[in-house]
Amino acid sequence: MSFQKPIDRRDFIRGIGALGVAASLPANAAAVPFAFLHGVASGDPLADRVILWTRVTPISAGAVPVLWEIAIDEDFRRVLRRGRVLTSGVRDYTVKVDVAGLPANAQLFYRFSAGGTLSPVGRTRTLPVGATDRVKLAVFSCSNYPAGYFHAYREAARLDDVFASVHLGDYLYEYARGGYASGDAAALSREVDPPGETIMLSDYRKRYAQYRTDPDLQALHARMPMIAVWDDHEITNDTWKAGAENHDPSEGDFFARRAAAVQAYHEWMPTRVPDAARPERIYRSFQFGDLVSLHMLDTRVIGRDLQLEYANFFGPTGFDAAGFAAAMGNPARQLLGAEQTAWLQGQVAGSSARWQMLGQQVLMGRMNVAAPLVLGQISFSGYVALVQKAAVDPTSLTSAEQAVLAQPAIPYNLDAWDGYVVARETVLGTMRALNRNLVVLSGDTHNAWANDLADLGGNAVGVEFATPGVSSPGLEAFFTTENPIAVASGLTQLIGPLKYADTARRGFMLVTATHSECAAQWIYVSTVKSMGYVRQDGPTWKTLPGAGNRRLIPA
């Protein structure tokens, strides 16, 4: 392998002039300072390329030339590639470079310069090809700035053996000050900017800019490449393909809002857009040698039909069970959409990797809970007590208690795959027909889960590892009078496929794949409400490859 001439700090800065940048600067450019207030980031690594990202903060408006370089060593004595790009207010002064021609499976370092000011140095890496022994990923979701500190990001940035971070969405939230999970924001000095809800392009840009000043988030981005996909809050709550719960006509056209959100997302995130003519298409795959095919999916924007709501099936005579069953079984109801589903099937069919991993937003596991709990007719502890009473002394049950226990289990969250059962069967059926080892990574709920995945015939197909939120509150915020440990234990008893749950702590997942197993360890932080905290190592669950082994095992 040949390298370009070594370059030091002074050479790098002088290189701007050597590249002809000075000729494009205004006459007073030398007096205009620049800053890199939002750190650096990299993302979407492939075997021969990676996206590099930063943002320049100028004092005055106008085009800003930025020099970038990527090297083998942190001292930048063996530079592989360097170049120049222009940024401006048109792209909110963000810089994204898709650097090609890089060696596979290489740890690399990169930096930027503008007007003589150097950015922080970032570390990234390219994907392996061929035989690969181990891949470790840090998995995140639901980072709500006003809800608390991003300690989970800091803890992951301290690890040295993580290949990449995977963010499954809700990288930011759209709400105004005083909105969701903002009760402690003022005390934590984490009130959102802009103060109102994000609706216009300028709103989303300001919100990203605020998030990216967070030192823990900057540390994570500078430490490893990120592979990210959006969920709903990058646009607005409960987004589907033609609207959202948190959008009404007074806020303008939904599609204009969505376009603004998508533009800001791609400006501020180190993503590679698969189709420039369709920036809303974000699904894409990453190949980690012969070990992992990671397919990042969009369960929000491209194909999702409107979510079902239990309230719509209640009438004068009670709950319309037949109508609800018909809606749930409607084969036309989509979550991924026909185009993305066909793409996923083609990707899986063409992959010979040991593990087929889906990076996506909402829970895929069958989270069926007793109807009285879902509909708020009984407390969690009250229902568990009834179940225990029935097991110990069934003759003591009153007729009212018997009626409660006789009600069926129904999905607790129709916003998840549970509300799109035909779409889920299509994915599970594809994996089973192709005899693939399926591992699903999920976010969205702010809680930790581990589920066995089986089709409607009861055939084991794979497993699901779901990450807790970085800072957004979990079920403890809903079951405020319940013991969180009892809630988690009770859920694993009531929900057959659910093998592990933690419904009270924030953190992230470490997913490690080898040819012999794929395991997830949950890493928690003791609090997100103060700067002081401790790391708390949770359990590890794993699965083994092969048609007879696709179930969860405690490690």
Side-chain angles (χ1 to χ4, degrees):
M1 180 182 301
S2 61
F3 299 96
Q4 297 184 11
K5 174 183 177 291
I7 185 170
D8 63 18
R9 178 188 175 97
R10 290 185 299 274
D11 290 336
F12 181 54
I13 296 172
R14 286 196 302 266
I16 296 178
L19 287 168
V21 177
S24 64
L25 288 172
N28 65 341
V32 177
F34 299 93
F36 293 93
L37 302 180
H38 303 95
V40 298
S42 67
D44 279 16
L46 300 178
D48 67 338
R49 67 189 59 212
V50 68
I51 298 285
L52 304 183
W53 180 97
T54 193
R55 183 178 188 266
V56 179
T57 303
I59 278 188
S60 59
V64 178
V66 181
L67 189 71
W68 60 268
E69 62 180 351
I70 188 167
I72 291 287
D73 62 310
E74 197 168 4
D75 294 327
F76 292 87
R77 299 195 176 277
R78 294 196 294 171
V79 174
L80 292 175
R81 295 286 183 274
R82 63 174 176 248
R84 178 185 74 102
V85 294
L86 286 174
T87 187
S88 69
V90 173
R91 56 178 58 91
D92 202 19
Y93 292 98
T94 59
V95 175
K96 283 175 72 170
V97 184
D98 195 350
V99 184
L102 302 175
N105 200 27
Q107 179 176 277
L108 304 168
F109 300 89
Y110 62 95
R111 64 185 179 184
F112 302 85
S113 176
T117 300
L118 280 173
S119 76
V121 173
R123 187 180 77 164
T124 190
R125 104 181 261 189
T126 52
L127 299 190
V129 295
T132 303
D133 295 331
R134 179 182 299 267
V135 169
K136 182 177 285 189
L137 303 170
V139 183
F140 304 92
S141 75
C142 306
S143 39
N144 192 346
Y145 189 86
Y149 297 110
F150 293 163
H151 299 322
Y153 289 149
R154 174 66 60 177
E155 285 303 308
R158 288 174 171 159
L159 302 175
D160 199 47
D161 59 344
V162 177
F163 202 111
S165 66
V166 176
H167 206 293
L168 300 177
D170 294 346
Y171 182 93
L172 54 65
Y173 284 70
E174 82 279 14
Y175 296 111
R177 289 185 185 179
Y180 170 70
S182 296
D184 301 317
L188 299 176
S189 297
R190 292 177 76 86
E191 290 187 299
V192 293
D193 183 42
E197 188 171 316
T198 57
I199 298 173
M200 310 295 289
L201 177 60
S202 59
D203 300 331
Y204 288 103
R205 284 172 165 176
K206 286 181 180 179
R207 191 63 57 86
Y208 277 104
Q210 179 184 42
Y211 271 62
R212 292 296 274 273
T213 61
D214 184 274
D216 295 334
L217 180 51
Q218 286 194 16
L220 176 71
H221 275 301
R223 188 65 173 166
M224 64 190 74
M226 177 177 281
I227 300 171
V229 69
W230 51 56
D231 195 4
D232 52 343
H233 290 291
E234 288 89 346
I235 301 169
T236 188
N237 184 56
D238 284 355
T239 293
W240 58 288
K241 67 183 180 183
E245 178 274 332
N246 189 28
H247 184 83
D248 60 60
S250 69
E251 295 170 317
D253 178 68
F254 170 75
F255 292 102
R257 181 180 189 176
R258 190 183 80 175
V262 167
Q263 179 178 335
Y265 183 89
H266 286 307
E267 287 174 345
W268 280 86
M269 298 294 288
T271 52
R272 181 180 293 105
V273 181
D275 183 351
R278 300 170 61 204
E280 70 278 6
R281 191 210 133 180
I282 200 173
Y283 56 88
R284 60 214 193 278
S285 290
F286 300 87
Q287 307 300 322
F288 294 80
D290 65 347
L291 188 56
V292 173
S293 288
L294 173 61
H295 311 292
M296 300 295 287
L297 305 181
D298 172 14
T299 64
R300 285 291 176 189
V301 173
I302 291 290
R304 175 189 280 257
D305 286 315
L306 179 63
Q307 300 89 328
L308 298 177
E309 294 185 25
Y310 285 112
N312 294 336
F313 294 92
F314 279 93
T317 59
F319 185 68
D320 180 8
F324 177 72
M328 287 282 281
N330 181 358
R333 274 179 53 77
Q334 296 279 342
L335 186 62
L336 300 180
E339 178 185 337
Q340 186 178 188
T341 299
W343 168 86
L344 176 61
Q345 291 171 329
Q347 293 294 109
V348 173
S351 171
S352 59
R354 174 73 81 180
W355 302 101
Q356 299 299 311
M357 197 173 286
L358 307 185
Q360 54 92 57
Q361 299 79 4
V362 294
L363 284 180
M364 186 175 282
R366 301 178 195 280
M367 303 288 283
N368 291 335
V369 180
L373 280 174
V374 175
L375 302 177
Q377 298 168 348
I378 190 172
S379 69
F380 188 86
S381 56
Y383 186 82
V384 172
L386 274 186
V387 171
Q388 293 172 344
K389 183 179 180 180
V392 174
D393 187 11
T395 60
S396 67
L397 292 171
T398 68
S399 58
E401 290 172 337
Q402 291 174 354
V404 169
L405 292 176
Q407 292 192 45
I410 59 177
Y412 97 93
N413 183 10
L414 296 177
D415 186 61
W417 286 86
D418 267 337
Y420 301 83
V421 293
V422 177
R424 179 171 56 195
E425 284 303 294
T426 299
V427 172
L428 296 180
T430 295
M431 296 297 176
R432 183 164 180 254
L434 295 173
N435 193 28
R436 298 296 194 256
N437 300 308
L438 172 65
V439 174
V440 177
L441 308 179
S442 304
D444 182 62
T445 67
H446 315 165
N447 302 289
W449 314 96
N451 279 300
D452 280 328
L453 298 176
D455 62 18
L456 286 174
N459 302 296
V461 180
V463 302
E464 176 177 46
F465 299 130
T467 185
V470 170
S471 64
S472 291
L475 285 181
E476 81 282 359
F478 297 93
F479 297 131
T480 56
T481 62
E482 308 279 0
N483 182 333
I485 297 176
V487 170
S489 175
L491 287 172
T492 56
Q493 295 176 45
L494 296 174
I495 303 173
L498 180 64
K499 304 305 178 185
Y500 170 69
D502 188 297
T503 61
R505 291 185 288 178
R506 312 284 75 78
F508 67 104
M509 280 192 316
L510 283 175
V511 176
T512 304
T514 67
H515 282 276
S516 61
E517 65 181 37
C518 186
Q521 181 186 16
W522 285 265
I523 307 295
Y524 301 105
V525 296
S526 57
T527 182
V528 298
K529 298 298 186 180
S530 69
M531 294 296 290
Y533 72 96
V534 295
R535 166 177 159 163
Q536 299 172 335
D537 288 357
T540 299
W541 284 76
K542 66 181 183 180
T543 186
L544 308 179
N549 297 317
R550 293 165 184 154
R551 294 179 176 85
L552 289 165
I553 307 168

